Amino acid sequence: MDDEIAALYAERGKDPNSVGIVETQYWTCQDEPLDLECGRRLTPYTLAYETYGELSPQRDNVILIFHALSGDAHVAGYHTPTDTKPGWWDLMIGPGKPMDTNRYFVICANVLAGCKGSTGPSSINPETGRPYGLSFPLVTIGDMVRAQERLLSHLGIERLLAVVGASMGGMQALEFVVQFPERVASVLAIATAARMSTQGIAFDAIARHAIMSDPNWRQGDYYGGQPPASGLSIARMIGHITYLSEEQMTTKFGRRLQSRESYGYDMAVEFQVESYLDHQGNSFVQRFDPNSYLYITKAIDYFDLAAGRHSLVEAFSGVTAEFLVVSFTSDWLFPTHQSKELVRALQANGVRTTFLEITSDYGHDTFLLPNPELGSAVSAFLGQVAAREWAATRREDA
Amino acid sequence: MDDEIAALYAERGKDPNSVGIVETQYWTCQDEPLDLECGRRLTPYTLAYETYGELSPQRDNVILIFHALSGDAHVAGYHTPTDTKPGWWDLMIGPGKPMDTNRYFVICANVLAGCKGSTGPSSINPETGRPYGLSFPLVTIGDMVRAQERLLSHLGIERLLAVVGASMGGMQALEFVVQFPERVASVLAIATAARMSTQGIAFDAIARHAIMSDPNWRQGDYYGGQPPASGLSIARMIGHITYLSEEQMTTKFGRRLQSRESYGYDMAVEFQVESYLDHQGNSFVQRFDPNSYLYITKAIDYFDLAAGRHSLVEAFSGVTAEFLVVSFTSDWLFPTHQSKELVRALQANGVRTTFLEITSDYGHDTFLLPNPELGSAVSAFLGQVAAREWAATRREDA
């Protein structure tokens, strides 16, 4: 979708509702090691993050966004005046947009194990002076959100108006509210699930296999040399099939050839869909670390909210936040039935939950695309939550 | 599925309805070059084939089976008394089975470009004395069936009681009846389509990309050295996801770990589904030529019965055979809507067509598994066709 979204913005020219130029910030936790689920400790660690809008004096207008597998902290706006492409969810965040920066203070941090400024396998291990590579500890979705909770504490933020995420971002939102129920007024979980599905694990397993069987991978110790670009490219191509729907692929590409009038009867890339995937694979290797792809997909595959509990219902037993759960009809990576499972478990706990299944042909990627129904739902949900929260916080302050 | 089917047979012990020990036969066409759709000519070429049952004196009991991507001519029975695994559709062919060898004479040939005895990229190019590799011409589904039509002529068989195929085999059956309408009394098209879907092309494209980006591929010139096993293994893993349904994967593997009690927090293969795919990938490289995989997937992707015609309806305009079209509810590689498209185009031509959608959780692979509904439908359909055909041929002979 990247190129299309860029094209969309290019067409629109300067967006009057952009948050404008933003800067990535960095926070390094030096003094408090993070105890990871794998039993190891991580220290020090850095989180890259961005913020949009202004923190209210009551510190009661904070939305924490969690990004998906290939996302980063740069959700909205531009890093330089000449950037042609804004942050990955710019459609959603800005003055007058669904997450209205005239009202809310929005934060997003790059996940641990990522490669966009937060500590991950490509970071320098202070003990050796060399990149961690595979010596980086495996972090879980739980570890990721614990690190981000500390960032919030560092920023002096106690309670969140909302935690918001789609896909792996939704997993983090769910994990966050389960671990820190008292810190969250509401949860917006989009195109996500309480656990990675078997088929999802299968796709991730092949992606990892492709990266690790690339001879350039060298057990993860490729920094300074050639990265396993070919393996990462295959991983990304597989991912892209799962992000689109069959309907949309057919509409968008059909059986059309890319630059030939007729079949070439050779092994060249010739179908448009083939060329699209090839391009997606090739451009991804310019911006993503293959080891981060291994670590993050493993965190996704491990994610299972009910694990170690009797049931998913039990997982949500301490939750007081209210929920908006959203799925897309043509999303086959995180299908609607997984959202419904979340809704049932929440309702069994008496959690106030709104469920919205949006009709869309755009598959899992719908959340990244212009969708008025999604935009209105997010805007209305946040407005209601804010009204209720502020009735309390702002009366006390008055 | 391979291992499960083997296990199934091992459990059953000796199958009293087996065709028994069979031998692969070879026919080489020396004198008549095959003019290929790519514009090149192939000569000589060999087809490996097997037959089961007895050809009737009237030569009116012949069923031609076409195999799928990774299949071969060995459809039923065993090659040696110690074989533990029979041919790939042994469930369907034998005395008393749906394709009853007491009544019918069944033939199956390995496709051109294959690697199981028919001429393909791993065959010796007589002009150079070395394996063809990428110098082998690209063959289409149309070329494959034209070669097999010549085999029939060589065997003295004019008319077929039925052409039968599932998946790519179904594409060949459709192509055969369109090219040689007068030679076919009936068509049994299972889990197939009039064209490869965009999503199907996308999966095949990644598979080819994986093979061709394996450094051992060497532009297809790897014979005598290390084959691109890693690339082929990835290709096969991708294929296997598309052959199974999401439901079945969940039921069969869930999130269970293979040999560990709990997560290992490393990059090892640990989920059962991961281990299953890994095994499927590794065992496939023992039995399949990576270049054949490239050629055959390309033939599949090129397949489009309506291409060069105004419509699919026009493609079937000369057809007089009757049809049984079968799809499976959980098949997402060749979904039911593709079968329905075939049925509509056939009915628009007044072709006698039966459509059967079988409820199954086993996805595309359902056709390879025991399924009483499929067995009965095949048996009944062939029985009716034979009765009608024989009423004509055997009366004439009498």
Side-chain angles (χ1 to χ4, degrees):
Chain A
M1 292 283 136
D2 299 357
D3 299 335
E4 284 141 76
I5 292 173
L8 196 72
Y9 279 97
E11 268 170 38
R12 289 182 175 182
K14 199 168 155 51
D15 175 5
N17 297 320
S18 171
V19 297
I21 303 298
V22 294
E23 200 178 338
T24 307
Q25 300 171 71
Y26 300 88
W27 170 64
T28 298
C29 181
Q30 294 280 4
D31 46 356
E32 199 184 355
L34 191 67
D35 286 312
L36 303 170
E37 289 184 34
C38 65
R40 293 170 61 187
R41 311 186 104 185
L42 186 63
T43 184
Y45 61 89
T46 297
L47 292 185
Y49 67 99
E50 294 192 5
T51 70
Y52 318 97
E54 299 293 329
L55 183 60
S56 63
Q58 300 88 348
R59 299 174 175 267
D60 62 358
N61 67 335
V62 183
I63 297 172
L64 179 61
I65 294 179
F66 300 100
H67 69 72
L69 168 52
S70 63
D72 53 36
H74 184 42
V75 186
Y78 300 83
H79 281 155
T80 69
T82 55
D83 267 5
T84 52
K85 212 177 114 184
W88 58 267
W89 223 7
D90 192 272
L91 288 161
M92 203 59 100
I93 293 116
K97 293 184 183 180
M99 299 189 205
D100 188 345
T101 47
N102 290 329
R103 308 187 78 206
Y104 310 122
F105 180 62
V106 179
I107 307 176
C108 182
N110 183 215
V111 294
L112 272 189
C115 52
K116 303 302 182 109
S118 292
T119 303
S122 59
S123 305
I124 299 297
N125 179 349
E127 289 183 14
T128 63
R130 300 188 58 242
Y132 277 104
L134 273 209
S135 75
F136 191 74
L138 202 136
V139 299
T140 62
I141 299 288
D143 296 327
M144 290 174 182
V145 304
R146 271 188 294 279
Q148 294 183 62
E149 190 263 351
R150 290 198 182 166
L151 169 64
L152 294 177
S153 297
H154 160 75
L155 297 173
I157 293 160
E158 187 57 38
R159 185 166 166 87
L160 298 165
L161 201 56
V163 289
V164 180
S167 198
M168 182 186 83
M171 292 176 168
Q172 291 172 78
L174 297 171
E175 177 75 28
F176 193 98
V177 73
V178 166
Q179 284 200 37
F180 309 106
E182 74 293 344
R183 297 190 79 150
V184 182
S186 74
V187 178
L188 218 164
I190 303 171
T192 193
R195 75 185 64 78
M196 191 55 164
S197 70
T198 310
Q199 194 179 64
I201 294 173
F203 280 117
D204 283 347
I206 301 179
R208 287 193 294 272
H209 184 98
I211 293 169
M212 295 194 290
S213 63
D214 184 323
N216 287 336
W217 183 60
R218 301 172 188 280
Q219 295 295 313
D221 190 16
Y222 52 78
Y223 300 105
Q226 288 294 321
S230 166
L232 182 62
S233 170
I234 293 168
R236 180 65 168 174
M237 291 166 88
I238 294 171
H240 262 279
I241 294 188
T242 68
Y243 305 151
L244 307 184
S245 71
E246 195 216 344
E247 302 92 298
Q248 188 208 359
M249 270 204 169
T250 305
T251 308
K252 190 168 170 179
F253 304 112
R255 299 182 44 86
R256 288 184 291 281
L257 303 181
Q258 179 66 7
S259 54
R260 289 172 164 175
E261 289 294 308
S262 57
Y263 296 152
Y265 298 103
D266 57 23
M267 293 303 161
V269 165
E270 55 183 347
F271 287 100
Q272 279 183 12
V273 68
E274 213 173 354
S275 168
Y276 167 83
L277 291 174
D278 220 52
H279 172 72
Q280 295 296 338
N282 289 335
S283 58
F284 192 60
V285 302
Q286 309 302 320
R287 68 174 180 90
F288 214 84
D289 175 49
N291 280 338
S292 279
Y293 205 88
L294 299 180
Y295 276 82
I296 298 175
T297 56
K298 199 83 183 190
I300 291 172
D301 293 353
Y302 276 5
F303 182 67
D304 181 3
L305 261 189
R309 299 183 173 101
H310 289 101
S311 67
L312 187 59
V313 174
E314 187 186 318
F316 289 127
S317 61
V319 167
T320 55
E322 65 184 290
F323 275 68
L324 174 61
V325 177
V326 180
S327 72
F328 307 116
T329 48
S330 59
D331 184 350
W332 59 283
L333 187 59
F334 288 90
T336 289
H337 69 80
Q338 291 187 307
S339 283
K340 286 188 175 165
E341 189 194 6
L342 284 173
V343 171
R344 280 193 300 273
L346 289 163
Q347 288 177 335
N349 281 291
V351 173
R352 189 198 297 233
T353 306
T354 304
F355 170 57
L356 175 64
E357 183 185 31
I358 292 179
T359 301
S360 162
D361 276 349
Y362 291 94
H364 187 59
D365 263 354
T366 303
F367 77 91
L368 291 170
L369 296 167
N371 187 299
E373 200 177 349
L374 179 61
S376 318
V378 170
S379 172
F381 178 76
L382 292 173
Q384 287 158 21
V385 172
R388 257 194 298 276
E389 280 283 301
W390 294 346
T393 55
R394 298 189 179 183
R395 189 175 53 233
E396 286 166 15
D397 290 348
Chain B
M1 292 283 136
D2 299 356
D3 298 337
E4 282 140 74
I5 292 173
L8 195 72
Y9 279 96
E11 266 171 39
R12 290 183 175 180
K14 196 167 156 51
D15 174 7
N17 297 321
S18 172
V19 296
I21 303 296
V22 294
E23 199 176 339
T24 307
Q25 300 171 70
Y26 300 88
W27 170 66
T28 298
C29 181
Q30 294 280 5
D31 46 356
E32 200 184 355
L34 192 67
D35 286 312
L36 304 171
E37 289 184 35
C38 65
R40 293 171 62 188
R41 309 187 105 185
L42 186 63
T43 183
Y45 61 89
T46 298
L47 291 184
Y49 67 100
E50 294 193 4
T51 69
Y52 318 98
E54 299 294 330
L55 182 59
S56 63
Q58 300 88 346
R59 300 173 175 267
D60 62 357
N61 67 335
V62 183
I63 297 172
L64 179 61
I65 294 179
F66 300 100
H67 68 73
L69 169 53
S70 64
D72 53 36
H74 184 43
V75 186
Y78 300 83
H79 281 155
T80 70
T82 54
D83 267 4
T84 52
K85 211 177 112 186
W88 58 268
W89 223 8
D90 192 272
L91 289 162
M92 203 59 98
I93 293 116
K97 294 184 182 179
M99 297 189 207
D100 188 344
T101 48
N102 291 329
R103 309 187 78 205
Y104 309 122
F105 181 62
V106 179
I107 307 176
C108 182
N110 185 214
V111 295
L112 272 189
C115 52
K116 302 302 182 107
S118 292
T119 302
S122 58
S123 304
I124 299 297
N125 178 348
E127 289 183 14
T128 63
R130 301 189 56 241
Y132 278 103
L134 273 209
S135 75
F136 191 74
L138 203 135
V139 298
T140 62
I141 299 289
D143 297 326
M144 290 174 181
V145 304
R146 270 189 294 277
Q148 294 183 62
E149 191 263 350
R150 291 198 181 165
L151 170 65
L152 293 178
S153 297
H154 162 75
L155 296 174
I157 293 160
E158 187 57 37
R159 186 167 165 88
L160 298 165
L161 201 57
V163 289
V164 180
S167 197
M168 182 186 84
M171 292 176 169
Q172 290 173 80
L174 297 172
E175 177 75 28
F176 193 97
V177 74
V178 166
Q179 284 200 36
F180 309 105
E182 75 292 346
R183 297 190 79 149
V184 183
S186 74
V187 178
L188 218 164
I190 304 171
T192 193
R195 75 186 62 79
M196 191 55 162
S197 70
T198 311
Q199 194 179 65
I201 293 173
F203 280 117
D204 283 347
I206 301 180
R208 286 193 295 271
H209 184 98
I211 292 168
M212 295 193 290
S213 63
D214 184 323
N216 287 337
W217 182 60
R218 301 171 188 280
Q219 295 296 313
D221 189 18
Y222 52 79
Y223 300 106
Q226 289 293 321
S230 166
L232 181 63
S233 170
I234 292 168
R236 181 66 168 173
M237 291 166 88
I238 293 171
H240 262 280
I241 293 189
T242 68
Y243 306 151
L244 308 183
S245 71
E246 195 215 342
E247 304 90 298
Q248 187 207 0
M249 271 205 168
T250 305
T251 308
K252 190 168 171 180
F253 305 111
R255 298 183 43 87
R256 289 183 291 281
L257 303 181
Q258 180 64 7
S259 54
R260 289 172 164 175
E261 289 294 308
S262 56
Y263 295 151
Y265 299 103
D266 56 24
M267 292 303 160
V269 165
E270 55 184 347
F271 288 100
Q272 279 184 12
V273 67
E274 212 173 354
S275 168
Y276 168 82
L277 291 174
D278 220 50
H279 172 72
Q280 294 297 337
N282 289 335
S283 58
F284 191 60
V285 303
Q286 308 302 320
R287 70 175 179 89
F288 214 84
D289 175 49
N291 280 339
S292 279
Y293 205 88
L294 298 180
Y295 276 81
I296 298 174
T297 56
K298 198 83 183 188
I300 291 171
D301 293 354
Y302 276 5
F303 182 67
D304 181 3
L305 261 190
R309 298 183 174 100
H310 289 101
S311 67
L312 187 59
V313 174
E314 185 186 320
F316 289 128
S317 61
V319 167
T320 54
E322 65 185 290
F323 275 67
L324 174 60
V325 177
V326 180
S327 72
F328 307 115
T329 48
S330 58
D331 183 351
W332 58 284
L333 187 59
F334 288 90
T336 289
H337 69 79
Q338 292 187 306
S339 284
K340 286 188 175 165
E341 189 194 6
L342 284 173
V343 171
R344 279 193 302 272
L346 289 164
Q347 288 177 336
N349 280 292
V351 173
R352 191 198 293 235
T353 305
T354 305
F355 172 56
L356 174 63
E357 184 185 30
I358 293 179
T359 301
S360 162
D361 276 348
Y362 291 95
H364 187 60
D365 263 353
T366 303
F367 77 90
L368 292 170
L369 296 167
N371 186 299
E373 200 178 347
L374 179 61
S376 320
V378 170
S379 172
F381 178 76
L382 291 173
Q384 287 159 19
V385 172
R388 257 194 298 276
E389 280 282 303
W390 293 346
T393 56
R394 298 190 180 182
R395 190 176 51 233
E396 287 165 17
D397 291 348

